[in-house]
Amino acid sequence: MKLKLTWIPNTLTLGNLTLGFVSMLLVSETNPSQPNSHELYSLAGVFIILAALFDGFDGMAARALNCTSELGADLDSLADLTTFGIAPGFLAYKMFFFDIKLDIFDKPDYFPLGMFIAALYPICAAYRLARFNVAHDPKSFNGLPSPVAGVVIGIFPLVFSVSQVPLWMAVTFFVITALLMVSTLRYSKPQVAMRGLFSWKKLGISLLGLGLILFAIGFYRWPYVMYGAVGFYVFSGIVSFLIQTIQDYRV
């Protein structure tokens, strides 16, 4: 029965991979000089966000059905690298970095520096996923999870337009988020935290209240709400690290 049910979480994982690939196809159709490019960037970002949902559901399904496997874990890593490493890097490249070039050998725009900046995302995602597969803490993440890092870039075109963000700020934001993936900062696992703090009844009431709040804010504002939640999670690891460092220094 376990072997028969593995297709369910594996199908969700492949859905994650498919959405990431489609996101890249959408970005490849963009031309920064065309006015409809931002709409394609936004749609590509939505596909990355949807892929993150698939990534969350495949693990839940595998545990609920008691059909976890090494194949599923490896497949999940490959899908995450595609969707939350390569796809966000490609999206950021087409949005901001495609025109970053250096003049060397007396030739203008000879060295495509923007390509190497964009490549930092899949490099960091690959290293983080490999490190996770070798060893990981069941209670926390070591470094920013790659799905969260992918969503950070995926939501970006839904909240900001290219003209609103200075190039130096986009580069800084992109590089810092990529490096957080390979950092040693500790990030809590939401499912573990909720399991320890809430009973199923309290959790259901909390989720219902959160849903009503989000509905009151307005559905058309969901990217901002999501960006706020993701941003809070990203900074939680940094704040925890600073607090721990200060405590260690005092000791």
Side-chain angles (χ1 to χ4, degrees):
M1 180 63 69
K2 180 178 178 179
L3 292 176
K4 292 181 179 179
L5 293 177
T6 53
W7 68 269
I8 298 177
N10 288 346
T11 299
L12 292 171
T13 302
L14 292 175
N16 165 16
L17 175 62
T18 302
L19 291 171
F21 180 67
V22 172
S23 174
M24 287 187 284
L25 292 180
L26 289 170
V27 174
S28 68
E29 295 294 325
T30 61
N31 185 340
S33 62
Q34 295 179 350
N36 66 335
S37 293
H38 191 78
E39 295 179 2
L40 291 176
Y41 294 148
S42 300
L43 186 57
V46 169
F47 275 99
I48 293 176
I49 296 169
L50 291 176
L53 296 178
F54 275 69
D55 181 65
F57 288 142
D58 63 0
M60 293 173 57
R63 289 187 292 269
L65 298 173
N66 192 26
C67 57
T68 57
S69 64
E70 292 185 6
L71 173 64
D74 290 340
L75 188 64
D76 183 71
S77 294
L78 293 171
D80 285 357
L81 174 59
T82 301
T83 305
F84 308 120
I86 301 175
F90 189 36
L91 175 59
Y93 172 75
K94 290 299 290 278
M95 286 184 67
F96 296 105
F97 309 146
F98 70 96
D99 205 26
I100 303 179
K101 299 176 183 179
L102 297 179
D103 301 340
I104 58 176
F105 303 128
D106 295 326
K107 297 180 179 180
D109 297 337
Y110 184 81
F111 185 74
L113 181 61
M115 291 184 180
F116 290 89
I117 296 175
L120 188 63
Y121 232 72
I123 289 172
C124 292
Y127 183 85
R128 193 213 176 279
L129 290 166
R131 185 178 65 185
F132 179 85
N133 289 343
V134 172
H136 60 272
D137 188 340
K139 295 183 179 180
S140 63
F141 292 115
N142 190 21
L144 184 66
S146 55
V148 177
V151 168
V152 167
I153 302 301
I155 305 177
F156 206 89
L158 297 170
V159 178
F160 305 103
S161 64
V162 177
S163 60
Q164 289 178 318
V165 183
L167 181 58
W168 68 267
M169 187 179 296
V171 173
T172 303
F173 180 82
F174 182 83
V175 171
I176 291 176
T177 306
L179 293 179
L180 284 175
M181 284 191 280
V182 296
S183 70
T184 57
L185 299 183
R186 294 286 179 177
Y187 283 91
S188 63
K189 291 186 176 182
Q191 63 271 29
V192 174
M194 289 189 298
R195 193 184 305 134
L197 294 175
F198 299 103
S199 65
W200 284 109
K201 181 178 179 180
K202 292 181 179 179
L203 178 59
I205 295 174
S206 300
L207 291 176
L208 178 60
L210 179 61
L212 292 175
I213 293 174
L214 296 180
F215 182 78
I217 293 174
F219 181 76
Y220 72 100
R221 290 289 184 181
W222 70 267
Y224 299 90
V225 176
M226 180 176 288
Y227 223 20
V230 173
F232 177 81
Y233 181 79
V234 172
F235 280 104
S236 68
I238 300 174
V239 172
S240 297
F241 171 75
L242 294 176
I243 293 175
Q244 186 63 44
T245 302
I246 293 173
Q247 290 177 344
D248 293 342
Y249 180 76
R250 287 181 176 179
V251 174

